[in-house]
Amino acid sequence: MTQSDPDPVPDPDPESGTETDSAFNAGLYVHVPFCTSVCPYCDFAVTIAGEERRSAWVDGIIREAALYPDLSLGFDTVYLGGGTPSSLDAEQIGRILDELHRHLAVDQRAVCSLEVNPEDVDPRSVSTWRDFGISYVSLGVQSFDDRDLALLGRRHSVDDARQAAEILCSAGFDTVSVDLIYGLEGRSPEHWRRQLETAVALGVDHLSCYQLTAHEGTLFGRRVARGAVTELGEGELAELFFLTHELLADAGYDGYEVSNFASTAEHRSDHNQKYWDHTPYLGLGPSAHSFVGGRRWWNHRKLRHWQAAIDAGDAAVEDEERPSGAQLALEALMLGFRTTAGIDLERLHERFGVGLLGTNGDVVDRWVTSGHLKTDGARLRPTLTGLAIADTLARSFEIGWTPTESGSLP
């Protein structure tokens, strides 16, 4: 696709089971692929690059946004993720946001989110981000234990993390979120409890708590493969999962998704919720995914391949798919059972033609009896024990499609 033919998005497919994408509630994601070092557990598309490549990437993002002038979407959330978006200098962040508003229909009141690392947080940077309209910041702490931080390859200390959280919380952002990782070998449940209590004591608005996973191809994955590191067993991880939800619930945080907790509903991640309910979203940058009009596509993962395509005036799309209505219905179950909102049965039927109670009434009854699901009017909601086995719940329903690698979610 060249700039003389700039619209890589086909018209919505009425057979796909999706709703119209013309509403102004879509999400816009920008993948910043740069880090000063690569963490051993990281499975994202990241690289270490100098200023010349960073500058070329900024120009590329702007040119990529210009490829979608006729996209019938309006965006009320903008999310700069990565990688380490906060490693960009102020001029680069400001230029990106200005150009996104110029080329795309971004609402002036859109919630703009920025992922930041503690070492990049100081009063000057925070003031600049606020001036740019950033209202939601996600701080990559991962642990409040210096031994954990060394194991995870992080560049900051516990003191850096505490100070960064304090600066952010006092700066007037609408939401300050902290990321934590659990499941490190040799760490007790009490150790994890202390991490959560420290975050709560800092007064952050939102917490994301992720299980450490040994992804193939990462340094951590290779360590596990050769036996140098051992992953925790299912029983140990389940104990930590329930500890997380119970402690944070007692502290006033709503565990609205498997890994996400908000002090009030206003502090939930509006952007991430779009991924969970098939709201349209556009992704820019290497490895970024998009879902518009029943079509899902994803960009080249490697920066050099993405950059070459953009420099040539082409869309940097590596591949695409058009999931069937049955596939999207199963995805809706897999995503919905990861949230306390669960499944809106009427909407599921309207969108995908799936009458879940009629076709899978016995499955629903079995999970309700076992205490993993509960009915709530026209909704089917997971209990806490249901959240813990969300994928198992979804796959127990017969919708006429078996998930494969090519049909998995990004």
Side-chain angles (χ1 to χ4, degrees):
M1 195 70 61
T2 65
Q3 283 192 299
S4 61
D5 184 17
D7 186 7
V9 184
D11 293 333
D13 180 0
E15 300 301 320
S16 67
T18 60
E19 298 171 306
T20 177
D21 294 334
S22 60
F24 282 76
N25 67 334
L28 178 59
Y29 175 78
V30 178
H31 184 74
V32 183
F34 306 115
C35 289
T36 52
S37 62
V38 179
C39 299
Y41 57 88
C42 181
D43 188 41
F44 295 114
V46 299
T47 188
I48 300 170
E51 185 52 41
E52 183 177 349
R53 292 185 76 191
R54 289 170 177 250
S55 179
W57 170 84
V58 173
D59 291 340
I61 287 294
I62 294 167
R63 286 198 294 272
E64 187 176 19
L67 293 174
Y68 296 91
D70 300 323
L71 196 65
S72 58
L73 292 180
F75 303 95
D76 64 2
T77 65
V78 178
Y79 195 104
L80 273 64
T84 311
S86 61
S87 68
L88 297 174
D89 64 41
E91 181 182 354
Q92 291 171 326
I93 294 175
R95 184 179 173 217
I96 289 169
L97 292 174
D98 285 345
E99 294 291 339
L100 292 178
H101 279 85
R102 188 164 75 89
H103 290 293
L104 298 168
V106 179
D107 194 300
Q108 291 298 321
R109 299 165 296 176
V111 176
C112 292
S113 303
L114 182 73
E115 292 182 350
V116 306
N117 277 354
E119 61 267 26
D120 298 322
V121 176
D122 58 50
R124 182 176 179 180
S125 64
V126 165
S127 177
T128 302
W129 298 334
R130 291 278 290 120
D131 290 343
F132 289 153
I134 302 296
S135 58
Y136 188 114
V137 287
S138 178
L139 181 64
V141 171
Q142 316 313 350
S143 177
F144 290 103
D145 184 307
D146 282 324
R147 296 173 304 153
D148 295 351
L149 294 174
L151 179 65
L152 294 170
R154 305 296 292 177
R155 297 179 65 246
H156 63 271
S157 67
V158 171
D159 288 342
D160 294 335
R162 289 177 180 272
Q163 183 179 29
E166 291 168 355
I167 291 173
L168 292 169
C169 286
S170 63
F173 291 101
D174 290 346
T175 299
V176 176
S177 180
V178 159
D179 286 1
L180 294 175
I181 291 178
Y182 67 89
L184 281 70
E185 181 184 13
R187 306 302 193 260
S188 67
E190 185 57 33
H191 174 272
W192 176 237
R193 178 185 295 274
R194 290 195 296 271
Q195 309 306 305
L196 295 172
E197 290 174 342
T198 299
V200 169
L202 287 168
V204 298
D205 307 300
H206 186 279
L207 282 162
S208 295
C209 301
Y210 301 111
Q211 174 188 319
L212 180 62
T213 303
H215 294 288
E216 185 178 354
T218 65
L219 179 58
F220 184 69
R222 291 192 292 271
R223 289 173 180 171
V224 170
R226 67 173 184 263
V229 175
T230 302
E231 291 186 281
L232 297 191
E234 289 187 7
E236 294 170 295
L237 290 171
E239 181 180 3
L240 296 174
F241 173 86
F242 289 115
L243 169 61
T244 303
H245 278 263
E246 291 164 2
L247 185 151
L248 291 178
D250 288 344
Y253 290 81
D254 172 29
Y256 66 101
E257 195 264 351
V258 166
S259 303
N260 288 278
F261 306 82
S263 59
T264 67
E266 290 75 19
H267 293 304
R268 295 179 178 184
S269 173
D270 291 337
H271 183 85
N272 286 341
Q273 288 183 102
K274 297 180 189 301
Y275 302 141
W276 305 334
D277 67 5
H278 285 130
T279 297
Y281 53 88
L282 174 67
L284 306 177
S287 80
H289 285 67
S290 302
F291 181 68
V292 181
R295 173 181 175 241
R296 178 177 291 125
W297 70 93
W298 49 96
N299 285 349
H300 291 292
R301 179 179 175 88
K302 289 188 178 298
L303 174 59
R304 67 177 182 272
H305 295 158
W306 173 87
Q307 191 78 56
I310 295 299
D311 288 348
D314 298 333
V317 176
E318 180 179 19
D319 208 347
E320 65 174 78
E321 64 180 3
R322 275 192 175 275
S324 67
Q327 287 174 302
L328 292 172
L330 181 57
E331 289 180 5
L333 293 184
M334 296 180 72
L335 293 165
F337 286 146
R338 289 179 60 88
T339 71
T340 53
I343 305 298
D344 184 328
L345 297 171
E346 293 179 355
R347 186 166 185 254
L348 188 74
H349 183 263
E350 291 170 359
R351 298 182 74 191
F352 309 119
V354 175
L356 205 63
L357 295 182
T359 58
N360 290 269
D362 57 335
V363 179
V364 172
D365 290 343
R366 185 170 72 248
W367 287 120
V368 169
T369 300
S370 67
H372 291 85
L373 290 177
K374 59 184 177 182
T375 55
D376 180 10
R379 283 192 173 273
L380 191 61
R381 301 180 188 269
T383 63
L384 181 55
T385 55
L387 282 178
I389 60 166
D391 287 351
T392 299
L393 290 178
R395 288 190 169 92
S396 68
F397 288 83
E398 294 291 336
I399 305 182
W401 176 67
T402 301
T404 63
E405 184 176 352
S406 63
S408 62
L409 289 169

